[in-house]
């Protein structure tokens, strides 16, 4: 069904008095040879038990057609609308309520505040009317709106009204008979100020501004209607615009209307099971609920994880205690790091002193080497300057060779001694490095055991730190710090014994906690058995509740049938009342005529009474004046005598 036919306005009653001439809508099929009655009559059936509509604002009763709250289903739920046509061709009435009046409930009319007599405003209205008619496909010239005839005005008026209400029933008679009812049906607020006599000459000076204002108002209503239908608002009841996920009540009502429409067509085709309609509606709501179910599952998983984390946090000690412990550990680590840093600073200073000593030795040896080179050069020059005999030269050569051999031997010895010294230095360096590594390992172990730089009470005054001094001249001075035999070993033995005792206590405490844990586990198993028994009881109670719900639904179906019978009786009574309404109207007119005569008679009597009272009052005043005059004369006469 077109979304424009699903108006949110309430379907009107028979305000035009010519329902027999209205054609049948395309959505209502004509009956077959064995026609069914409408779903609002005695052939109403309960919906399929496999589908339950819990749509906000839609039908909540088992009946498929009863809806007191949904105006979209009014054509199905009312006795005078949505009936299956039998042998007479009928048509759904206009979506505009014929009961809409231009006056309010207390009879007050509205005054047109628009400057209709202003020529600029009239030109603006003509331009807007012309542009709208051109865009809507109505062929008209702009000068026509300046000097219009009655036939042209009627064509424009009917075109605009049919644009607002495509099924409005215009008659083939006089235009004056349709003009005022159409404006009242469309709730034109200034229809009381219009006169049907103006339609004979609409372009006249006194009638054209008001009639032009009517066309302009209709054009504005058409624009608002088109804008509303193109807005995509949920009140349009267009199921093609409904997203996969929706929460608007109008979307639920649109799906409910589509379901009833589909089911009604299937029922008219003599199908008692609405399987296809039910499947379509179930698929749409399952698709809507799919993401919600996924989000619900994710939220459940998150809740489970949060509960586990909460249980873990409750079972563990408070974070503040752990933070205080971590803070104390960091403070101790800081003290240890500062001690180690101080130790490395002392080693760095020693290395700096060793490097400076080696540089000084290097400078000294370099100066000695330069001195020896100068001496050797001097001796070479002296030998060259001496004048020796061959025997002396031979002797000197032999002595020189002997000295060279001695020198070579001495050099070899020096080289061997130097090599031996180098080997010893390498060995000493390796031993020193391994010793320093051992001391470093020892210090790290003390740090890991929280025994450095200070011991726990009552041994806080003992320092177990050891430091290597490779430059010591005596082997007793190689290790600096506490005495290894008298202090370090006894202290470590006492600490190890205390730790063994603590471990034994911890083991006994662990055994005790495991026993308590086994008892708690046993209690949990007992609670789980009790929970299973409770679940069985709950399942039995749920089954009983389902049986009670089914019985309630059956009772509701019976009650619905009774309600339908009562509504049918009410409809018959209403029809009888409508039949008797003609006689009542004639008697009412006679009574009104008699009432007017009585009012006139009473008015005449009131007027005659007032005149008689005035006349009698005047006569009484004249009588009093005459009596006063005679009394005055009598007093004067008495005084004279």
């Amino acid at each position: 069904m077109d979304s424009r036919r699903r108006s949110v306005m309430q379907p009107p009653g028979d305000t035009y008095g010519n329902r027999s001439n209205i054609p049948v809508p395309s959505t209502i099929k004509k009956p077959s040879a064995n026609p069914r009655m409408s779903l609002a009559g005695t052939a109403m059936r309960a919906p399929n038990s496999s589908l339950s509509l819990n749509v906000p604002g839609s039908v909540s009763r088992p009946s498929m057609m009863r809806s007191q709250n949904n105006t979209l289903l009014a054509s199905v739920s009312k006795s005078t609308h949505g009936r299956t046509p039998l042998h007479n061709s009928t048509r759904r009435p206009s979506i505009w309520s014929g009961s809409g009046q231009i006056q309010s409930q207390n009879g007050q009319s509205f005054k047109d505040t628009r400057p209709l007599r202003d020529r600029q405003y009239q030109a603006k209205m003509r331009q807007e009317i012309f542009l709208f008619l051109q865009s809507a496909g109505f062929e008209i010239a702009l000068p026509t709106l300046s000097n219009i005839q009655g036939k042209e005005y009627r064509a424009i008026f009917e075109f605009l009204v049919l644009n607002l209400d495509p099924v409005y029933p215009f008659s083939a008679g006089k235009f004056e008979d349709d003009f005022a009812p159409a404006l009242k049906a469309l709730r034109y607020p200034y229809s009381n100020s219009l006169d049907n006599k103006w339609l004979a000459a609409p372009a006249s000076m006194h009638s054209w501004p008001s009639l032009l204002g009517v066309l302009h108002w209709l054009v504005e209503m058409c624009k608002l209607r088109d804008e509303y239908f193109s807005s995509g608002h949920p009140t349009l009841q267009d199921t093609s615009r409904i997203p996969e996920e929706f929460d608007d009540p109008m979307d639920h009502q649109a799906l409910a209307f589509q379901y009833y429409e589909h089911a009604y067509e299937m029922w008219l085709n003599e199908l008692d099971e609405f399987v296809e309609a039910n499947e379509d509606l179930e698929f749409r709501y399952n698709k809507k609920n799919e993401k919600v179910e996924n989000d619900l599952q994710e939220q459940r998983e998150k809740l489970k994880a949060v509960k586990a984390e909460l249980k873990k946090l409750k079972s563990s000690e408070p974070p503040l205690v752990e933070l205080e412990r971590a803070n104390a550990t960091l403070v101790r680590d800081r003290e240890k790091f500062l001690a180690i840093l101080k130790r490395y600073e002392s080693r760095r200073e020693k290395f700096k002193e060793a490097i400076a000593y080696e540089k000084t030795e290097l400078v000294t040896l370099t100066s000695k080497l330069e001195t020896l080179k100068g001496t050797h050069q001097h001796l070479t020059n002296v030998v060259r300057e001496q004048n020796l005999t061959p025997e002396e030269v031979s002797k000197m050569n032999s002595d020189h060779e002997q000295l060279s051999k001695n020198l070579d031997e001495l050099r070899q010895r020096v080289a061997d001694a130097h090599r031996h010294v180098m080997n010893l230095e390498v060995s000493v360096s390796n031993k020193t490095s391994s010793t320093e590594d051992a001391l470093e390992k020892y210090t790290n172990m003390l740090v890991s055991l929280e025994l450095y730089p200070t011991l726990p009470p009552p041994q806080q005054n003992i320092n177990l730190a050891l430091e290597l001094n490779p430059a010591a001249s005596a082997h007793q001075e190689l290790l600096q710090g506490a005495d290894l035999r008298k202090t370090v070993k006894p202290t470590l033995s006492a600490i190890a014994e205390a730790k063994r005792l603590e471990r034994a206590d911890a083991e006994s405490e662990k055994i005790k906690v495991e026993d308590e844990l086994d008892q708690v586990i046993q209690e949990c198993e007992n609670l789980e058995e009790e929970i299973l028994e409770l679940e069985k009881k709950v399942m039995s109670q749920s089954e009983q509740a389902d049986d009670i719900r089914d019985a309630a639904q059956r009772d509701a179906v019976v009650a619905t049938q009774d309600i339908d019978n009562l509504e049918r009786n009410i409809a018959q009574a209403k029809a009888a009342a409508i039949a008797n309404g003609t006689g009542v109207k004639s008697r009412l007119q006679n009574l009104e005529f008699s009432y007017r005569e009585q009012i006139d008679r009473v008015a005449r009597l009131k007027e005659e009474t007032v005149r008689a009272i005035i006349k009698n009052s005047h006569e009484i005043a004249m009588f009093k004046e005459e009596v006063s005059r005679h009394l005055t004369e009598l007093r004067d006469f008495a005084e004279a005598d």
Side-chain angles (χ1 to χ4, degrees):
M1 180 180 291
D2 186 11
S3 62
R4 298 191 176 187
R5 296 293 182 91
R6 294 188 187 145
S7 175
V8 296
M9 298 183 181
Q10 183 178 2
D14 186 9
T15 59
Y16 308 113
N18 53 359
R19 288 177 56 86
S20 60
N21 297 326
I22 301 175
V24 180
S26 60
T27 57
I28 302 180
K29 298 183 179 180
K30 293 187 177 181
S32 58
N34 186 14
R36 291 189 176 194
M37 294 298 290
S38 173
L39 288 176
T42 58
M44 185 185 64
R45 290 166 171 81
N48 191 355
S49 60
S50 63
L51 178 63
S52 177
L53 289 177
N54 295 324
V55 181
S58 62
V59 183
S60 60
R61 293 168 48 186
S63 173
M64 291 184 296
M65 301 308 298
R66 295 288 179 251
S67 176
Q68 300 299 330
N69 298 326
N70 190 356
T71 59
L72 298 173
L73 305 180
S75 61
V76 182
S77 61
K78 293 187 177 181
S79 59
T80 59
H81 296 282
R83 299 289 188 181
T84 304
L86 295 177
H87 301 291
N88 295 328
S89 176
T90 59
R91 172 174 103 170
R92 188 182 72 178
S94 170
I95 62 174
W96 303 92
S97 174
S99 61
Q101 300 295 329
I102 57 174
Q103 296 180 354
S104 60
Q105 297 295 333
N106 56 4
Q108 181 182 0
S109 60
F110 299 96
K111 182 180 179 181
D112 196 344
T113 58
R114 295 174 295 177
L116 299 179
R117 301 277 178 188
D118 188 3
R119 295 187 178 277
Q120 294 182 356
Y121 189 74
Q122 290 181 4
K124 178 183 176 182
M125 290 192 294
R126 287 196 300 270
Q127 184 67 22
E128 292 180 359
I129 294 171
F130 172 74
L131 294 177
F132 177 78
L133 293 176
Q134 289 290 331
S135 62
F138 187 87
E139 297 295 335
I140 188 174
L142 184 60
T144 305
L145 296 176
S146 300
N147 188 15
I148 196 168
Q149 298 180 3
K151 183 178 180 181
E152 296 171 345
Y153 186 85
R154 177 174 183 173
I156 297 173
F157 180 82
E158 291 182 352
F159 176 78
L160 294 176
V161 172
L162 291 176
N163 194 309
L164 289 173
D165 183 5
V167 295
Y168 185 83
F170 281 107
S171 63
K174 295 181 178 180
F175 178 48
E176 291 80 357
D177 298 337
D178 292 334
F179 183 70
L183 292 179
K184 291 180 180 180
L186 296 174
R187 294 193 176 100
Y188 181 63
Y190 317 115
S191 59
N192 275 353
S193 62
L194 301 176
D195 190 356
N196 289 339
K197 296 179 181 179
W198 295 351
L199 299 175
S204 61
M205 184 181 301
H206 65 281
S207 62
W208 176 236
S210 299
L211 296 179
L212 181 62
V214 171
L215 296 181
H216 184 262
W217 184 84
L218 292 175
V219 167
E220 293 296 325
M221 292 298 103
C222 291
K223 291 180 180 179
L224 289 176
R225 177 179 178 272
D226 295 339
E227 182 178 357
Y228 171 66
F229 281 131
S230 61
S231 64
H233 198 269
T235 54
L236 288 172
Q237 302 289 291
D238 188 2
T239 56
S240 62
R241 298 176 180 268
I242 299 176
E244 294 184 359
E245 297 181 11
F246 56 90
D247 292 323
D248 198 295
M250 288 297 177
D251 295 335
H252 293 283
Q253 292 182 8
L255 292 176
F257 186 88
Q258 185 185 30
Y259 171 77
Y260 286 119
E261 179 186 8
H262 194 184
Y264 187 44
E265 292 178 357
M266 296 175 67
W267 189 84
L268 291 177
N269 293 329
E270 300 183 359
L271 296 176
D272 294 330
E273 299 292 336
F274 312 129
V275 178
E276 183 178 355
N278 295 341
E279 289 179 353
D280 293 342
L281 193 60
E282 287 177 355
F283 173 76
R284 191 62 183 268
Y285 276 95
N286 290 334
K287 192 173 183 181
K288 172 185 177 293
N289 297 331
E290 182 178 356
K291 185 175 181 181
V292 177
E293 292 177 354
N294 293 334
D295 293 340
L296 179 60
Q297 185 65 26
E298 292 179 0
Q299 294 297 331
R300 284 178 177 173
E301 293 178 357
K302 291 181 180 178
L303 178 61
K304 186 177 180 181
V306 170
K307 284 183 177 179
E309 185 177 358
L310 178 62
K311 184 178 179 181
K312 182 179 179 181
L313 291 175
K314 287 183 177 180
S315 61
S316 61
E317 60 184 5
L320 181 60
V321 177
E322 184 177 355
L323 290 175
E324 289 178 351
R325 187 185 300 111
N327 186 29
T329 304
L330 291 174
V331 170
R332 289 195 300 270
D333 292 343
R334 177 178 176 277
E335 293 176 356
K336 297 173 185 178
F337 178 75
L338 291 176
I340 294 172
L341 184 62
K342 184 178 179 181
R343 184 164 166 264
Y344 278 111
E345 287 290 338
S346 62
R347 291 180 61 183
R348 187 181 68 174
E349 294 297 330
K350 291 180 181 180
F351 282 125
K352 285 183 178 180
E353 292 177 358
I355 291 171
Y357 176 76
E358 294 295 334
K359 286 182 177 180
T360 304
E361 290 292 327
L362 181 60
V363 172
T364 304
L365 293 176
T366 303
S367 61
K368 287 182 179 181
L369 179 60
E370 293 295 332
T371 304
L372 292 174
K373 285 182 178 180
T375 305
H376 180 266
Q377 185 67 29
H378 176 68
L379 292 176
T380 304
N381 294 331
V382 169
V383 170
R384 288 178 181 176
E385 291 176 356
Q386 290 178 358
N387 189 10
L388 299 176
T389 59
E391 290 84 3
E392 291 176 352
V393 171
S394 174
K395 184 179 179 182
M396 289 179 64
N397 289 332
S398 60
D399 292 338
H400 182 267
E401 290 177 0
Q402 185 64 34
L403 291 172
S404 297
K405 290 179 181 179
N406 295 334
L407 183 59
D408 292 335
E409 290 178 0
L410 291 174
R411 286 179 178 175
Q412 184 65 33
R413 290 178 182 178
V414 170
D416 293 338
H418 184 67
R419 192 181 301 110
H420 183 65
V421 170
M422 290 297 293
N423 293 330
L424 290 176
E425 287 181 356
V426 171
S427 178
V428 169
S429 298
N430 294 332
K431 294 290 181 67
T432 303
S433 178
S434 60
T435 305
E436 289 179 351
D437 293 338
L439 290 176
E440 185 70 23
K441 186 176 180 182
Y442 168 76
T443 304
N444 293 333
M445 189 174 295
L446 290 178
V447 171
S448 62
L449 294 176
E450 298 181 357
L451 301 178
Y452 183 82
T454 57
L455 295 176
Q459 299 171 342
Q460 65 272 15
N461 296 325
I462 299 175
N463 188 5
L464 299 179
L466 296 176
E467 187 176 354
L468 181 64
N469 184 15
S473 58
H475 65 278
Q476 292 86 359
E477 298 177 358
L478 289 175
L479 287 177
Q480 296 179 356
D483 192 353
L484 185 61
R485 293 181 180 180
K486 295 179 180 181
T487 303
V488 176
K489 285 186 177 181
T491 303
L492 293 177
S493 299
I495 293 172
E497 185 64 25
K499 295 295 182 182
R500 280 194 293 271
L501 294 176
E502 290 180 1
R503 182 175 181 181
D505 294 338
E507 290 291 337
S508 60
E509 187 68 23
K510 178 181 177 183
I511 294 171
K512 186 185 298 183
V513 172
E514 288 179 351
D515 293 338
E516 293 178 356
L517 183 61
D518 293 336
Q519 293 178 2
V520 172
I521 291 172
Q522 184 64 30
E523 292 178 359
C524 291
E525 291 177 354
N526 296 332
L527 289 175
E528 288 179 356
E529 293 177 358
E530 294 178 0
I531 290 170
L532 291 175
E533 293 178 358
L534 290 175
E535 287 179 353
K536 292 179 181 179
K537 291 181 181 179
V538 170
M539 291 297 293
S540 62
Q541 294 293 332
S542 299
E543 293 176 357
Q544 293 178 3
D546 292 336
D547 296 337
I548 294 172
R549 191 183 300 109
D550 295 336
Q553 289 179 357
R554 289 194 294 270
D555 294 340
V557 172
V558 175
T560 303
Q561 294 177 356
D562 296 339
I563 291 170
D564 293 337
N565 294 329
L566 292 174
E567 289 180 353
R568 186 169 61 255
N569 295 332
I570 291 171
Q572 293 175 359
K574 186 177 180 180
I578 293 172
N580 296 327
T582 305
V584 173
K585 287 182 179 179
S586 62
R587 289 196 298 273
L588 180 61
Q589 291 177 356
N590 295 329
L591 291 173
E592 288 178 353
F593 183 73
S594 300
Y595 176 73
R596 292 192 184 94
E597 290 181 351
Q598 293 293 332
I599 292 297
D600 295 338
R601 188 179 295 110
V602 169
R604 286 196 301 272
L605 290 175
K606 283 183 179 181
E607 186 178 358
E608 291 175 357
T609 303
V610 170
R611 283 199 297 267
I613 291 171
I614 293 172
K615 181 179 179 182
N616 293 331
S617 299
H618 180 70
E619 291 178 353
I620 291 170
M622 294 299 293
F623 176 74
K624 288 176 68 178
E625 185 179 356
E626 187 69 22
V627 170
S628 297
R629 186 173 62 79
H630 283 292
L631 290 174
T632 301
E633 291 178 355
L634 181 61
R635 185 182 63 183
D636 294 338
F637 179 76
E639 289 177 353
D641 292 340

